[in-house]
Amino acid sequence: MPHGWLRAFWFGKRRRQERQRIVRYFDCTWLSAWGEENARISSLSPTGCYIESRFSVPPEGAVVPDITVTLPTGRIVLQGTVIEATRGIGFAVRFIELDTHTRDRLRDLVEDAQR
């Protein structure tokens, strides 16, 4: 049994449910202030992602209107708000205005990868 689970069980604490996230590389493009940028995603969940971008990084709070991710099942177009940014490395995005179909595709991809 995992040690953390035992500790939570013994002390009567509930463990917070693990986030659905996969650490895999996916090619992507995103629309910056200077035009379309090529990058890659290194972490993906149904609610957000981390985009590795060494050359340009939007500021925290900025809306990225067009993120196109190439998945094994085809491309999806997303938009999101930057929640963390590190110049020269990349930025984390929380997706906004996800339709049900896109959210389900992301959730299914993550669940399949975790099996």
Side-chain angles (χ1 to χ4, degrees):
M1 241 183 270
H3 179 68
W5 185 86
L6 277 175
R7 188 175 61 220
F9 178 73
W10 287 337
F11 295 108
K13 296 179 182 177
R14 284 184 159 183
R15 288 207 47 174
R16 196 168 115 189
Q17 183 178 359
E18 296 293 322
R19 290 187 180 185
Q20 291 184 333
R21 179 170 302 280
I22 56 174
V23 178
R24 299 239 172 106
Y25 292 115
F26 299 98
D27 290 330
C28 78
T29 59
W30 63 282
L31 190 58
S32 74
W34 298 277
E36 189 174 272
E37 305 261 349
N38 291 316
R40 71 179 181 178
I41 290 175
S42 59
S43 177
L44 180 67
S45 79
T47 59
C49 67
Y50 191 84
I51 299 175
E52 294 182 355
S53 180
R54 295 182 349 168
F55 302 109
S56 61
V57 174
E60 290 182 22
V63 173
V64 182
D66 186 2
I67 303 167
T68 303
V69 183
T70 304
L71 300 175
T73 58
R75 291 182 176 195
I76 56 172
V77 179
L78 308 157
Q79 55 185 327
T81 303
V82 178
I83 56 173
E84 182 182 333
T86 306
R87 289 182 62 172
I89 297 175
F91 55 99
V93 172
R94 178 172 292 128
F95 300 138
I96 55 175
E97 300 182 19
L98 277 180
D99 60 67
T100 306
H101 176 68
T102 303
R103 185 172 324 185
D104 290 345
R105 279 183 69 189
L106 289 170
R107 188 191 69 239
D108 291 344
L109 174 76
V110 170
E111 287 176 356
D112 288 346
Q114 290 178 335
R115 289 185 192 154

